[in-house]
Amino acid sequence: MSDYDTVSAEVEHEEEIPEDHPRYQDLLTRHRIENGVEKGITHLQGMHAEGRGSAFDYLLGEETIPSADEAERVAAAHLLLADQPVLSINGNVAALVPSEMVDLADATGADLEVNLFNRTPERIEAIASHLREHGAEDVKGLEADARIPRLDHQRAKVDADGIYDADVVVVPLEDGDRAEALEEMGKTEIVIDLNPLSRSPQVADVPIVDNIIRAVPNMTDHARDLADAGEADLETVVEEFDREAALEAAEERIRNGL
Ligand code: PTJ
């Protein structure tokens, strides 16, 4: 049977996408983003972001490369060491990995905070409800009672007891100046982005060049493996990480397939 016969023209539920389809992960991702747009969770611009991401993922071989796996372990160690870790959620993240983000928050004691570029009360509420439907108990980002300094767009709006006060922040799927502004606030930043040349991974303490669909569950697995490690061991994991080498390894894979 050809690919054309195995996937129906209009996929209503993701279970209809055959798992043995050679493009399964890409079809699943596209379906979740489309669904997100229909539900008012994902902005239309999120489709462009997804298209860009999937091109890089194709060149990466649609797999978690060893340097990304290491970065995901280091990220887990940072989150376990943190006093106040926060996972930032935009419209693409909410559509792609809602329950996976809730699991990561559970495994690391992190808070979930909605933070949007195209911020409207309706989208904030839709994303918070979507996360609650996937098991989140407390969702931050609705108060927006603090501002990230020197950022003149909607992403500056954060919760005072959330991202504003956090020591470690996970920033997925945004190429922008917020990463630089958070860096200037002295926060430890973990960025998930398939493009190693984006501004966000370029300034991150831990750049993770991997598809968020693979990265987040793997971070959770690492966090569970490291749960009993002592503080000194976690510090060692963090200190041994070479962010430049991780970025170079990803670029090398994308450019030369190596
Ligand atoms: O929901 P909002 O209103 O906050 O809007 C979010 C958008 C999509 C507008 C915003 O995040 C955006 O414009 O993103 P950019 O600038 O397109 O950057 C997104 C980055 O994420 C790009 O570098 C993509 O390569 C990368 N990316 C896209 N999909 C994935 C990804 N990285 C990892 N996993 C993915 N599935």
Side-chain angles (χ1 to χ4, degrees):
M1 220 186 258
S2 80
D3 291 354
Y4 302 106
D5 299 320
T6 54
V7 185
S8 58
E10 281 296 332
V11 172
E12 273 183 47
H13 302 288
E14 62 184 51
E15 294 73 31
E16 292 166 35
I17 305 169
E19 283 185 36
D20 60 354
H21 192 286
R23 308 286 311 145
Y24 173 73
Q25 216 173 55
D26 196 48
L27 292 173
L28 178 70
T29 304
R30 278 193 269 170
H31 176 74
R32 287 192 183 172
I33 292 288
E34 259 180 59
N35 231 3
V37 171
E38 277 164 17
K39 283 184 169 170
I41 290 169
T42 309
H43 194 272
L44 209 49
Q45 289 172 8
M47 288 195 162
H48 294 266
E50 180 51 40
R52 206 165 8 187
S54 77
F56 283 106
D57 204 17
Y58 193 83
L59 295 171
L60 269 176
E62 294 177 330
E63 63 175 11
T64 300
I65 62 173
S67 56
D69 180 50
E70 192 202 345
E72 285 153 15
R73 186 159 181 268
V74 172
H78 267 296
L79 289 168
L80 291 171
L81 281 168
D83 290 326
Q84 206 178 324
V86 177
L87 315 180
S88 185
I89 311 280
N90 68 15
N92 283 50
V93 176
L96 291 175
V97 282
S99 48
E100 292 84 349
M101 280 307 229
V102 172
D103 285 348
L104 179 61
D106 280 350
T108 58
D111 283 327
L112 297 161
E113 178 163 339
V114 185
N115 178 277
L116 301 180
F117 185 66
N118 306 284
R119 186 186 177 98
T120 61
E122 292 78 18
R123 282 190 68 218
I124 292 276
E125 200 38 68
I127 292 171
S129 308
H130 185 67
L131 291 171
R132 287 189 209 105
E133 280 164 25
H134 285 84
E137 279 168 20
D138 187 27
V139 180
K140 294 191 186 294
L142 286 81
E143 296 286 324
D145 50 354
R147 298 287 177 272
I148 299 172
R150 289 178 289 284
L151 207 58
D152 60 0
H153 52 73
Q154 297 290 319
R155 272 190 192 132
K157 294 184 177 172
V158 289
D159 277 15
D161 65 351
I163 288 174
Y164 191 84
D165 260 359
D167 51 349
V168 177
V169 187
V170 175
V171 179
L173 276 60
E174 64 178 60
D175 174 18
D177 42 6
R178 190 168 73 120
E180 281 160 16
L182 289 170
E183 183 76 10
E184 279 173 29
M185 288 176 83
K187 300 188 189 301
T188 297
E189 269 187 281
I190 297 162
V191 164
I192 304 170
D193 193 320
L194 279 159
N195 178 3
L197 301 176
S198 275
R199 277 178 299 175
S200 304
Q202 287 288 327
V203 299
D205 298 280
V206 185
I208 296 175
V209 182
D210 197 5
N211 195 321
I212 193 167
I213 280 194
R214 299 187 297 270
V216 173
N218 198 32
M219 286 162 76
T220 304
D221 287 347
H222 281 304
R224 298 214 160 106
D225 282 349
L226 290 168
D228 295 328
E231 207 171 305
D233 289 340
L234 293 175
E235 295 283 6
T236 305
V237 172
V238 162
E239 278 157 22
E240 284 177 351
F241 182 63
D242 182 343
R243 62 178 295 286
E244 301 299 333
L247 287 169
E248 276 166 26
E251 197 178 333
E252 184 65 9
R253 169 64 83 99
I254 288 168
R255 285 190 191 278
N256 302 316
L258 300 173

